[in-house]
Amino acid sequence: MEKFAEKLSFLFRPLLSFRAKFPLLSFILTRLLTMLVILFFLGWALFALMALAPGDIVDQMMTQQIMSQASGTGGADRSNTKGLDEKQTAALRAEMGLDQPFTVQYFKWLKRVVVNHDLGVSLISRAPVSFLIRSRILNSVVLNLISLVFITIFSFLLGVCFSSKAGTKTDLAATFFALFFHAFPGILLLILFQLFASATSLFPVTAYPDFPFSEAQGRFVFSYAHHVFLPLLASFLGGVGGTMRTIRSTMLDQMGLPYIMAIRARGISEGRVYLAHAFRNTLNPYITGSANLLAGLFSGSLVLEIIFSYPGIGRLMYEAVLQQDVNLVLANSMFISSLVLAGMVISDILLAVVDPRIRYGKE
């Protein structure tokens, strides 16, 4: 037993030595490896869920074909149609590889992605999946980044402001409205905004201009801002409440700590106490939760894109799930999950940068 332990420690000695010399790099590599493992099992689980769903894309295609044939012929011979249906269904499943177990399908897809860097083609439109994602992902990223920037700026401004007025009527009113909009159903808020846009005609009922960016860049920017104002306002109201309360509570906790009283006793101005000392320590919980906030924005943008007809990745995912387009669903899910996991890794690195007390690998 002791010899086995010695051999095991000998094998792991280079890893431990590397971790001791490069603690932060070792931490980043570990998180990246963990991210790859999570993505692997996530893809397998998605294939399993799609396999458990009743029917598949071939059933939908054949049903639509039979309905069109029946409507065109006024009710043809059902027995011949059924036999033709079964033969075509088997041929299509074999052509798309859907007749194999989902684990085999997943490993074939994984091999094609890793080795050939090919995400495959959509089973419905027959267009390359990479092209469909590229045409939509930029719209979703821009929308969510704008929302994240506004939520971050106003959350810090309002959180710091109301923490200095704790217990006042202004603070109580702000807390009430923050809780109200945080608890208000986001889908209902989006529907109400769309009804407002339809009734007043002040804003478009869709969230994207009806002409491309290449046609007129300047006019597109103003038109885009006009179209996305209401969806962004709904996203802002739903996200700023919880983040603002987190910043406010963290600031209040910091202001009651002994080091703040020591700084005040040295005669430092109250503004500097707030901004230069207490404010910096409020970054820690926000950076930790920023990855979850980004994930929530991406998941919430699914409903936004459907209601306001925004051509983003969420709407593409919704259409792919309805049509059971396995290649498109898996590529979308893996791409969004990669963004969220990468955001978590980046938040951990930023946390080590902004907080000098955190030193990975040091005692």
Side-chain angles (χ1 to χ4, degrees):
M1 191 67 182
E2 294 180 357
K3 293 182 178 180
F4 177 76
E6 291 178 359
K7 291 181 179 179
L8 194 63
S9 62
F10 177 77
L11 293 175
F12 286 98
R13 194 172 299 166
L15 295 177
L16 297 176
S17 176
F18 178 80
R19 184 178 180 181
K21 291 181 180 179
F22 308 99
L24 186 57
L25 179 60
S26 175
F27 170 78
I28 296 173
L29 293 176
T30 303
R31 291 304 304 270
L32 292 175
L33 180 61
T34 306
M35 183 178 72
L36 293 177
V37 173
I38 293 174
L39 287 175
F40 173 80
F41 285 105
L42 177 63
W44 181 85
L46 287 173
F47 258 99
L49 290 174
M50 294 296 290
L52 290 174
D56 55 22
I57 188 173
V58 177
D59 292 331
Q60 295 185 14
M61 294 169 62
M62 297 309 300
T63 301
Q64 294 175 359
Q65 182 178 352
I66 292 173
M67 291 177 63
S68 63
Q69 289 178 355
S71 62
T73 58
D77 187 2
R78 293 183 177 273
S79 60
N80 294 337
T81 304
K82 184 178 180 181
L84 181 64
D85 178 26
E86 292 177 353
K87 291 180 181 179
Q88 290 183 348
T89 299
L92 276 175
R93 283 202 176 94
E95 179 184 352
M96 297 180 179
L98 299 177
D99 57 337
Q100 299 174 341
F102 70 89
T103 303
V104 177
Q105 297 179 39
Y106 174 58
F107 278 102
K108 285 186 175 181
W109 178 87
L110 196 63
K111 180 181 178 181
R112 186 173 67 244
V113 172
V114 175
V115 178
N116 302 327
H117 307 288
D118 180 20
L119 296 176
V121 297
S122 170
L123 301 181
I124 293 292
S125 63
R126 311 306 295 175
V129 171
S130 57
F131 170 77
L132 295 175
I133 292 178
R134 279 199 309 269
S135 63
R136 299 288 190 95
I137 189 62
L138 182 61
N139 294 335
S140 292
V141 170
V142 169
L143 183 69
N144 286 285
L145 283 182
I146 293 175
S147 180
L148 182 63
V149 168
F150 277 102
I151 289 175
T152 300
I153 293 174
F154 282 93
S155 295
F156 276 107
L157 291 177
L158 296 176
V160 173
C161 176
F162 291 127
S163 66
S164 62
K165 300 178 181 180
T168 63
K169 293 181 179 180
T170 304
D171 178 55
L172 293 176
T175 302
F176 170 78
F177 283 108
L179 289 173
F180 176 80
F181 284 110
H182 185 64
F184 198 87
I187 184 173
L188 181 58
L189 187 61
L190 288 168
I191 293 174
L192 290 175
F193 277 165
Q194 191 176 55
L195 291 175
F196 170 78
S198 178
T200 61
S201 299
L202 295 176
F203 296 94
V205 294
T206 59
Y208 200 80
D210 55 357
F211 61 94
F213 176 77
S214 57
E215 182 177 315
Q217 289 85 352
R219 188 162 65 93
F220 180 88
V221 172
F222 287 102
S223 179
Y224 181 83
H226 186 215
H227 279 74
V228 301
F229 178 79
L230 288 181
L232 280 179
L233 181 60
S235 177
F236 171 79
L237 292 176
V240 73
T243 311
M244 184 203 74
R245 292 183 67 251
T246 301
I247 300 299
R248 174 185 171 278
S249 62
T250 307
M251 283 291 296
L252 291 176
D253 290 339
Q254 293 294 321
M255 296 306 294
L257 293 179
Y259 82 95
I260 294 293
M261 292 186 288
I263 292 173
R264 282 172 169 169
R266 292 161 62 183
I268 296 177
S269 63
E270 195 69 13
R272 189 177 175 185
V273 170
Y274 265 86
L275 299 179
H277 297 279
F279 174 74
R280 184 176 182 180
N281 290 327
T282 63
L283 295 174
N284 294 7
Y286 176 76
I287 292 175
T288 304
S290 60
N292 295 329
L293 178 61
L294 184 62
L297 288 175
F298 266 102
S299 60
S301 66
L302 168 65
V303 180
L304 184 153
E305 292 172 8
I306 294 172
I307 293 177
F308 279 88
S309 300
Y310 187 82
I313 197 73
R315 188 179 173 191
L316 182 66
M317 169 77 78
Y318 173 74
E319 296 169 353
V321 170
L322 289 182
Q323 298 169 344
Q324 294 186 333
D325 194 337
V326 180
N327 290 343
L328 194 53
V329 170
L330 189 65
N332 278 336
S333 301
M334 299 291 277
F335 193 82
I336 294 176
S337 300
S338 300
L339 289 178
V340 173
L341 292 173
M344 291 182 178
V345 175
I346 293 173
S347 67
D348 287 338
I349 297 172
L350 291 177
L351 188 62
V353 172
V354 302
D355 192 346
R357 297 170 298 179
I358 298 177
R359 293 293 182 267
Y360 293 102
K362 292 185 179 182
E363 297 181 359

